[in-house]
Amino acid sequence: MAGPHPAFAIGIIACVFLALYLTFLVLGSIPFFQRHFLYAHKVHTLWWHKIDRPEYWGFAKNQVTPFSLTTCDGQTLYAWHVMPLPVYLKHERKLAAQNSGFCDDVTATENFKLLRDDPESRFIVYFHGNAGHIAQAIRPASYHALTNTSRYHVLAIDYRGFGRSTGTPTEKGLIIDAVTAVNWAVQTAGVPHSRIVVLGQSLGTAVATATAEYFAKEGTDFAGVVLVAGFSSLPTMLSHYAISGYVPIMAPFRLWPWLLHQVMRVIVDKWESANRLREITQIVKARNGRLRLHLVHAKNDWDIPCHEDDKLFAGAVQGLIGDGETMGDARLATEKLGRTINRGKDSFVTNWIDRDIVIRQELFPYGGHNDLMFFAPMLTAVMKSFEVADESEE
């Protein structure tokens, strides 16, 4: 007996995929499911990773202190304070002799005291991307890259709903979490904002940008804001998003722009980073403040395409133009070209300077979406924020 005709089988498969696609869209219109898709906070390895034992990821004994922070709305955030290895080595015997594991009172640790009592300490508040937990995937490797040979302390947190943190992620909630982390560094650890770099990757770039905006409105300047693999806004990014760079999720809707606009309207957490960067540069310039904004992206990033960085750059520059004025795409491209240093195929650095505001965009050929977090461009951006490196090109 002959089997089904190939065309019939293909039709069945196509119908199944269409049904799954439509189901995904319907569920995605419901805030509860939408946030689960966006944040993927339930996708983690806590079942077999003991995150209270950072030595598993290659850290020295008690180089990392796991502890918790409490937000203003009562959520408990799981956090790591990662000591710079050169500082750790100077005090290794005392640090290693402490009790290991989760710390109920981080302020009683030698690690905290070394941070608090060092007037030259440099501090990085690290905001990770979606999915997983504080020690999942490339995150420990990026902490190593930041602390192995420097004097930089790192504070990494799991947002609400992630890892062992309580609560459910929302845009407003994650901003509260980020502000809580910065306030801990300043108010508890005694590190001034001028010695803090706010660093974000992927989703973390949106969190870092919102954090920088919050403190800019408070009249506060950080040492730097570093955004690695960022996006201009969630609706804009999703409207052109393709899985692994090949499967465009919203391709059918782009045939009808009005319908695509309606679909994008149901996104509840919009993360408008380009608009926030425009607000930040406008505020900082108006009060003659200081800003070191670094945008870093890999050309071969198949998750968030590098042209999203151009939109972030444009948003930041627009804030410097002045009230009621805008810079068209053609003029911006011309002005940008004159401030750009080409470094070979798919590689450039652009510096836009206005008073004490430096907007620096770097495109790097390699690193993809994640590995860039322990490549030289990310580290260079942090170093320039702390003004460790030669800024002659600026």
Side-chain angles (χ1 to χ4, degrees), residues 190-258:
V191 183
H193 295 92
S194 60
R195 287 195 272 122
I196 295 175
V197 163
V198 176
L199 167 65
Q201 186 257 348
S202 192
L203 171 66
T205 64
V207 179
T209 300
T211 306
E213 180 191 36
Y214 175 92
F215 284 99
K217 291 178 177 178
E218 297 288 311
T220 299
D221 296 331
F222 290 106
V225 179
V226 179
L227 310 179
V228 182
F231 56 92
S232 57
S233 77
L234 192 59
T236 300
M237 191 267 287
L238 289 179
S239 65
H240 295 87
Y241 180 73
I243 299 174
S244 299
Y246 293 105
V247 184
I249 297 296
M250 292 295 156
F253 293 93
R254 290 208 294 270
L255 297 173
W256 301 279
W258 176 85

Side-chain angles (χ1 to χ4, degrees), residues 83-388:
M83 282 198 70
L85 194 57
V87 176
Y88 174 90
L89 288 174
K90 290 183 179 180
H91 308 274
E92 181 178 13
R93 181 175 298 179
K94 185 183 293 185
L95 292 168
Q98 300 176 115
N99 293 329
S100 298
F102 184 83
C103 181
D104 292 320
D105 183 6
V106 67
T107 63
T109 64
E110 293 296 329
N111 309 58
F112 176 84
K113 293 172 185 176
L114 288 169
L115 167 64
R116 181 197 59 197
D117 297 340
D118 181 3
E120 299 301 321
S121 63
R122 299 291 184 268
F123 198 85
I124 299 167
V125 183
Y126 182 113
F127 300 121
H128 63 64
N130 71 340
H133 54 69
I134 202 167
Q136 198 158 321
I138 56 95
R139 289 158 199 168
S142 58
Y143 308 151
H144 278 294
L146 290 164
T147 61
N148 277 358
T149 60
S150 74
R151 294 181 60 86
Y152 305 154
H153 294 255
V154 170
L155 174 67
I157 65 168
D158 267 336
Y159 317 115
R160 61 187 61 202
F162 284 71
R164 281 168 41 184
S165 297
T166 63
T168 302
T170 65
E171 181 171 0
K172 180 180 178 181
L174 266 62
I175 295 171
I176 292 174
D177 300 342
V179 171
T180 299
V182 172
N183 284 340
W184 180 88
V186 175
Q187 298 169 9
T188 303
V191 183
H193 295 92
S194 60
R195 287 195 272 122
I196 295 175
V197 163
V198 176
L199 167 65
Q201 186 257 348
S202 192
L203 171 66
T205 64
V207 179
T209 300
T211 306
E213 180 191 36
Y214 175 92
F215 284 99
K217 291 178 177 178
E218 297 288 311
T220 299
D221 296 331
F222 290 106
V225 179
V226 179
L227 310 179
V228 182
F231 56 92
S232 57
S233 77
L234 192 59
T236 300
M237 191 267 287
L238 289 179
S239 65
H240 295 87
Y241 180 73
I243 299 174
S244 299
Y246 293 105
V247 184
I249 297 296
M250 292 295 156
F253 293 93
R254 290 208 294 270
L255 297 173
W256 301 279
W258 176 85
L259 182 57
L260 177 63
H261 177 71
Q262 298 306 310
V263 172
M264 292 299 103
R265 285 182 62 186
V266 305
I267 296 176
V268 290
D269 294 340
K270 301 192 183 300
W271 293 109
E272 298 280 0
S273 290
N275 290 340
R276 283 182 165 132
L277 288 180
R278 181 173 63 245
E279 183 77 6
I280 290 167
T281 54
Q282 188 174 40
I283 291 171
V284 175
K285 182 176 179 179
R287 58 175 168 76
N288 293 315
R290 177 189 182 278
L291 175 65
R292 297 294 182 270
L293 172 64
H294 299 266
L295 309 173
V296 182
H297 220 114
K299 177 66 176 179
N300 66 342
D301 186 336
W302 299 118
D303 289 288
I304 298 178
C306 59
H307 61 72
E308 283 291 307
D309 236 34
D310 296 329
K311 298 171 187 174
L312 292 173
F313 183 88
V317 170
Q318 290 290 355
L320 302 176
I321 304 305
D323 293 336
E325 297 184 41
T326 58
M327 181 180 290
D329 292 342
R331 180 187 164 195
L332 176 61
T334 301
E335 295 277 356
K336 185 177 180 180
L337 185 63
R339 295 167 166 83
T340 298
I341 300 172
N342 287 311
R343 292 185 168 176
K345 187 176 184 298
D346 298 329
S347 183
F348 69 79
V349 173
T350 302
N351 288 286
W352 192 294
I353 304 172
D354 191 326
R355 302 179 191 175
D356 204 14
I357 297 174
V358 178
I359 304 168
R360 185 175 187 272
Q361 180 187 10
E362 179 167 3
L363 179 69
F364 197 69
Y366 313 109
H369 188 64
N370 293 315
D371 290 353
L372 192 60
M373 280 302 293
F374 37 86
F375 278 26
M378 183 277 287
L379 296 168
T380 298
V382 172
M383 293 170 69
K384 282 183 172 292
S385 295
F386 288 130
E387 298 185 341
V388 173

